[in-house]
Amino acid sequence: LHTAYRRQRQMCIRDRSGPTILIVGPDFGIGSSREHAVWALQNYGFKVVVGSRFADIFRNNSGNNGLLLAQVDPEVVEKLWDFAEHNPGEKLTVSLEDKTISLPDGTSHPFEIDDATRQRLLAGLDAIGETLEYADDIAAYEARRSSFMPTTA
């Protein structure tokens, strides 16, 4: 993941056993219209990306593939960057249930995420898994349809 940047001395990320929260600048994910962008972040160990704005397609792909995007005000991004820079090794806590990012001193910042994505992530479901929760209803509907109509298999 961005090997040239990782080799720079000021870059905090060193290896895959490192942080699971990535704090990013505005419009993160622009030009990343494929799931591979999300998969690369997940393969590197990231579970949460915190930023002030995300590209729409990247946001949808992230939610569909289980990567939490926590959207906060730009001022909060700056505070989190300052915290990370001045407190290496300290941990942030992200609560999807409470929609908050907490620092060790108890300071908490709310983040935004749409309710449908939040519920799917909390349940550990992707879009297919969410649909399969209605498998019995779908089967009952298909059984009631006239035989001359198209069916799903």
Side-chain angles (χ1 to χ4, degrees):
L1 179 72
H2 304 294
T3 302
Y5 292 111
R6 279 190 291 117
R7 290 188 179 138
Q8 293 178 359
R9 297 182 138 249
Q10 65 269 33
M11 188 67 174
C12 295
I13 304 165
R14 295 290 179 220
D15 60 41
R16 292 180 186 184
S17 64
T20 59
I21 301 171
L22 181 63
I23 305 166
V24 299
D27 298 321
F28 187 79
I30 286 183
S32 302
S33 63
R34 304 259 187 229
E35 290 86 355
H36 294 83
V38 173
W39 297 341
L41 292 168
Q42 290 174 317
N43 287 341
Y44 203 76
F46 292 110
K47 296 178 180 178
V48 180
V49 179
V50 179
S52 61
R53 281 191 320 258
F54 298 100
D56 289 338
I57 294 173
F58 180 76
R59 180 186 301 109
N60 291 334
N61 286 339
S62 294
N64 289 336
N65 287 282
L67 180 66
L68 171 58
L69 298 187
Q71 189 166 336
V72 297
D73 291 333
E75 297 79 23
V76 173
V77 171
E78 292 293 332
K79 288 177 184 177
L80 296 175
W81 275 338
D82 287 344
F83 172 80
E85 183 178 347
H86 293 99
N87 301 281
E90 289 287 325
K91 297 187 189 255
L92 300 173
T93 302
V94 176
S95 171
L96 181 55
E97 287 184 1
D98 299 328
K99 298 193 305 186
T100 58
I101 302 166
S102 301
L103 283 68
D105 68 2
T107 304
S108 183
H109 302 283
F111 66 84
E112 295 177 28
I113 182 172
D114 71 271
D115 287 332
T117 301
R118 180 175 171 262
Q119 291 303 321
R120 199 166 52 243
L121 290 173
L122 285 170
L125 298 172
D126 61 9
I128 294 171
E130 187 176 35
T131 302
L132 290 175
E133 291 202 320
Y134 298 97
D136 292 341
D137 294 335
I138 294 168
Y141 172 81
E142 290 293 335
R144 290 190 309 268
R145 288 176 52 121
S146 299
S147 61
F148 70 89
M149 299 193 73
T151 61
T152 57

